[in-house]
Amino acid sequence: MTQTPSHFDLLIRNGTVIDGTKAPRFDADVGITDGRIAAIGDLSQCTAVQTLDATGRIVAPGFIDSHTHDDQAVLSQAAMPFKISQGVTTVIAGNCGISAAPLRADMDLPMPLSLIDSPPEGRFTTFAAYLDALRATPSSVNVAAMVGHSTLRAVTMSDLDRPANDQEIAAMQALVEEAMQAGAIGMSTGTFYPPAVKATTEEIIEVGRPLSARKALYVTHMRDEADKVMDALEETFRIGRELDIPVVVSHHKVQNTSNFGRSKTTLPFIRETMKHQCVSLDCYPYTAGSTMIRTDRGMLEGRVLIADSQPHPECAGRDLDDIAKEWGVAKDEAARRLQPGSAIYFLMDENDVQRILAFDETMIGSDGIPVGESPHPRLWGTFPRVLGHYSRDVGLFPLETAVWKMSGLTARNFGLHGRGTLKVGHHADIVVFDAATVRDAANYRTPTLPAEGIDCVIVNGAVSWRHGTHSGARNGQVIVRRDGVPPRTH
C-alpha cells in the first residue's frame, strides 16, 4: 500500500473535484509535487509550500483545446492569455492542413497558410526544429502538434492547382516521416481550402502512409461541410480505413440554410461508423465560423464580419454588407478587395450546433485564429461558454460531461497519456472555477474579453493564471506521440 505524502509543493484545499472521466463530483484536496498529482483525498493534515483554498469551487483537469491554429502564437505570444485565461492548459496545433513546419524562407505562402506564418527568417525547415524551438522557449500551455498536408504541398509543389505527381507525393511522404520521427501526433488536411482542393483522395492516402505503422492520427477539415457533407464524411472514413489509423473530423458542422437540420443525418452516420473504425469529432459552441476571406457565394450567404484585412485594416470589426455598400460594389467584389485577411461567417443553425455539442463523443475545440484585433470570440470564450451557457444555462449536459468533453475525452482521442484526468501520477494540469458564475465575456462586438469565473489555472504544477492575472509562468511542455500506441481501441 502506497503511503500518502505529508508535504507537497502545492496543495489545493476544500474543492469539489470533477476528474474528467464523467464520474460524479466529490469533495477532496489535491496535492501536487514535482509537476504531478501526488495525492487526492483528505489532506487536511498535510503541509505545502503553497496552498490554494478552493472552497465552493470546482477543481477539474485543465482543458485541452482539440482544434487550434496556435502554431506560431505559442512562440510569438508565448504567454497565451487567450487560452490560459479560459482554463486551457494544452493545445492541439497543426490543424486544417496548416502547420508551422516544414517551411522555406524563400517561399510565398498562399492563404490560409499565411494566417499563422512567421517572418521568413523565423521559419522552420524541419518539424524537429519547430518542436526544438518550443522546448527552448516554452509557452504557458502544453503543445501537441501535427504536420499539415497543405503546408507539405506548398513546400514541394510549384503548382498547387492540380493533383500531386508521384515524385511530389514521395517528397511529401518523406516530410511526413521526418515529422513522425520528430514527434508529430499525426497529419491534418484542409481539402476545403484552395491549396489542397485539387488533392485527390489517393494523394492523401499515399502521403499519409508513414502514419500507419505508428497509428498516428488523421485529422481533417473536410472537403465539404455543406451540400456534399455526406460525401466528405465517406472520403474521410475511407482514408482512415485505407491507412488503418484513427480519424478526427474537425469542427463538425452543416452550413448554409439549405442544410440546416442535416446533423440529424450526419451524426447517426458517424455513430454507426464508430462501431467499425476509430472515429472522433470536435466542434465549437457558436453558429458562426471563421476563416480566410473568401469570395465564393456559399460562404457569403449569411452575415460576414471582417476580422482582419491586410490591405484594409480599418475594416476590421465591420460587416461586409456595409463595406460593400460604402464602396458601391457587390459583396463578392468587396471581399476580393479585402483579401488577404480573415472573416467571421454566420452560416450555421443553433439547433444543429446544440445537437452536435450534445452528441456523446464530441470534443470541444475553439478553432480560434490568434491574429488581429477583432478575432472570432471563440478564441477567448469557447470553454467557459460550454460550461456556463450550454451546460449550466441551457442544460444541454451535466457539468461532469462538459468537463469530460474538454479534457478526458480529448486526451483519450489524441493519445495524450498522463493528461486529461485528475489522477495520482498524472501531470498537474488543473483549472479551478466557479460553476455558478463561469461564463464567456467575449462576444462579436468585444471579442477579446477574458472569461469570468476562472479562478486559477495550473500547468505542470505551476500556477499560471490566478484571479484574472497571468503569473508569468511559462511551464508548458511539448507532447509527442508514443510510437505504436493508438489513442484508443474499439
Side-chain angles (χ1 to χ4, degrees), residues 159-226:
D159 177 13
L160 298 176
D161 197 29
R162 59 170 174 79
N165 60 37
D166 290 346
Q167 184 178 357
E168 291 160 341
I169 288 173
M172 286 189 274
Q173 226 179 49
L175 292 173
V176 172
E177 175 64 27
E178 184 274 327
M180 292 298 103
Q181 291 182 11
I185 64 170
M187 180 182 81
S188 74
T189 60
T191 44
F192 170 74
Y193 293 111
V197 163
K198 293 299 177 68
T200 63
T201 308
E202 289 69 26
E203 173 187 319
I204 295 167
I205 292 168
E206 292 308 313
V207 170
R209 289 292 179 194
L211 305 173
S212 296
R214 298 172 172 88
K215 299 297 182 186
L217 291 153
Y218 172 64
V219 179
T220 181
H221 179 156
M222 300 191 305
R223 205 175 291 275
D224 196 293
E225 295 172 314

Side-chain angles (χ1 to χ4, degrees), residues 110-134:
M111 288 291 279
L113 275 65
S114 56
L115 282 177
I116 66 161
D117 187 30
S118 60
E121 65 273 13
R123 291 179 182 170
F124 303 98
T125 57
T126 66
F127 208 83
Y130 170 63
L131 296 186
D132 285 345
L134 279 174

Side-chain angles (χ1 to χ4, degrees), residues 133-457:
L134 279 174
R135 294 184 182 100
T137 56
S139 83
S140 293
V141 297
N142 305 305
V143 182
M146 296 177 288
V147 64
H149 168 250
S150 292
T151 297
L152 299 177
R153 289 189 116 235
V155 84
T156 58
M157 298 176 64
S158 58
D159 177 13
L160 298 176
D161 197 29
R162 59 170 174 79
N165 60 37
D166 290 346
Q167 184 178 357
E168 291 160 341
I169 288 173
M172 286 189 274
Q173 226 179 49
L175 292 173
V176 172
E177 175 64 27
E178 184 274 327
M180 292 298 103
Q181 291 182 11
I185 64 170
M187 180 182 81
S188 74
T189 60
T191 44
F192 170 74
Y193 293 111
V197 163
K198 293 299 177 68
T200 63
T201 308
E202 289 69 26
E203 173 187 319
I204 295 167
I205 292 168
E206 292 308 313
V207 170
R209 289 292 179 194
L211 305 173
S212 296
R214 298 172 172 88
K215 299 297 182 186
L217 291 153
Y218 172 64
V219 179
T220 181
H221 179 156
M222 300 191 305
R223 205 175 291 275
D224 196 293
E225 295 172 314
D227 296 350
K228 297 181 179 179
V229 64
M230 295 301 292
D231 292 341
L233 285 169
E234 289 273 17
E235 179 188 40
T236 297
F237 300 153
R238 179 194 160 197
I239 292 167
R241 289 193 302 271
E242 293 279 351
L243 295 175
D244 190 27
I245 57 174
V247 167
V248 180
V249 177
S250 293
H251 44 59
H252 182 47
K253 67 175 81 69
V254 284
Q255 66 183 43
N256 298 336
T257 307
S258 60
N259 294 298
F260 285 2
R262 288 193 73 188
S263 60
K264 294 177 182 177
T265 302
T266 62
L267 292 175
F269 179 52
I270 292 170
R271 187 187 300 281
E272 182 60 29
T273 305
M274 285 175 167
K275 297 176 182 177
H276 309 289
Q277 65 183 103
C278 195
V279 174
S280 307
L281 73 160
D282 63 50
C283 77
Y284 46 79
Y286 298 87
T287 56
S290 180
T291 187
M292 59 185 279
I293 297 174
R294 297 180 65 109
T295 58
D296 39 317
R297 295 191 181 279
M299 293 295 291
L300 302 181
E301 175 186 289
R303 179 190 177 198
V304 179
L305 186 63
I306 300 302
D308 174 67
S309 169
Q310 289 185 28
H312 293 283
E314 73 280 2
C315 290
R318 296 188 61 195
D319 275 61
L320 181 60
D321 276 336
D322 294 338
I323 297 168
K325 289 175 184 175
E326 181 180 298
W327 290 353
V329 298
K331 200 170 177 178
D332 56 346
E333 173 60 18
R336 187 191 65 76
R337 294 184 187 182
L338 289 161
Q339 293 174 329
S342 59
I344 297 165
Y345 300 86
F346 295 78
L347 293 171
M348 289 165 277
D349 178 62
E350 176 67 17
N351 292 325
D352 284 315
V353 170
Q354 291 195 23
R355 195 175 294 116
I356 294 168
L357 273 173
F359 184 70
D360 289 346
E361 297 290 326
T362 300
M363 303 176 286
I364 307 300
S366 70
D367 196 15
I369 303 173
V371 296
E373 297 179 0
S374 298
H376 193 301
R378 65 191 181 186
L379 181 67
W380 286 80
T382 289
F383 293 83
R385 182 170 176 79
V386 172
L387 296 171
H389 179 66
Y390 283 108
S391 178
R392 182 187 63 230
D393 301 341
V394 176
L396 204 55
F397 32 64
L399 192 58
E400 285 84 350
T401 298
V403 169
W404 174 71
K405 284 174 170 287
M406 304 191 295
S407 57
L409 176 63
T410 316
R412 185 193 77 183
N413 290 344
F414 282 89
L416 310 183
H417 303 280
R419 300 186 192 271
T421 55
L422 298 187
K423 182 179 179 181
V424 172
H426 278 203
H427 295 272
D429 296 336
I430 298 172
V431 56
V432 180
F433 65 91
D434 184 345
T437 64
V438 65
R439 75 174 190 95
D440 56 315
N443 55 48
Y444 295 105
R445 185 169 47 83
T446 51
T448 60
L449 295 178
E452 298 176 4
I454 303 290
D455 284 7
C456 183
V457 184

Side-chain angles (χ1 to χ4, degrees), residues 18-91:
I18 294 180
D19 67 6
T21 68
K22 272 204 300 191
R25 66 193 74 183
F26 58 93
D27 293 337
D29 307 316
V30 179
I32 298 165
T33 298
D34 294 331
R36 291 183 181 259
I37 298 171
I40 301 174
D42 181 358
L43 308 177
S44 56
Q45 302 304 310
C46 300
T47 58
V49 175
Q50 183 179 8
T51 301
L52 300 178
D53 183 10
T55 300
R57 299 293 188 263
I58 299 296
V59 179
F63 305 137
I64 302 169
D65 193 337
S66 67
H67 190 101
T68 82
H69 294 286
D70 294 335
D71 306 60
Q72 286 293 347
V74 288
L75 292 168
S76 62
Q77 305 175 59
M80 296 293 287
F82 44 88
K83 291 299 169 71
I84 204 79
S85 65
Q86 56 178 309
V88 171
T89 57
T90 299
V91 299

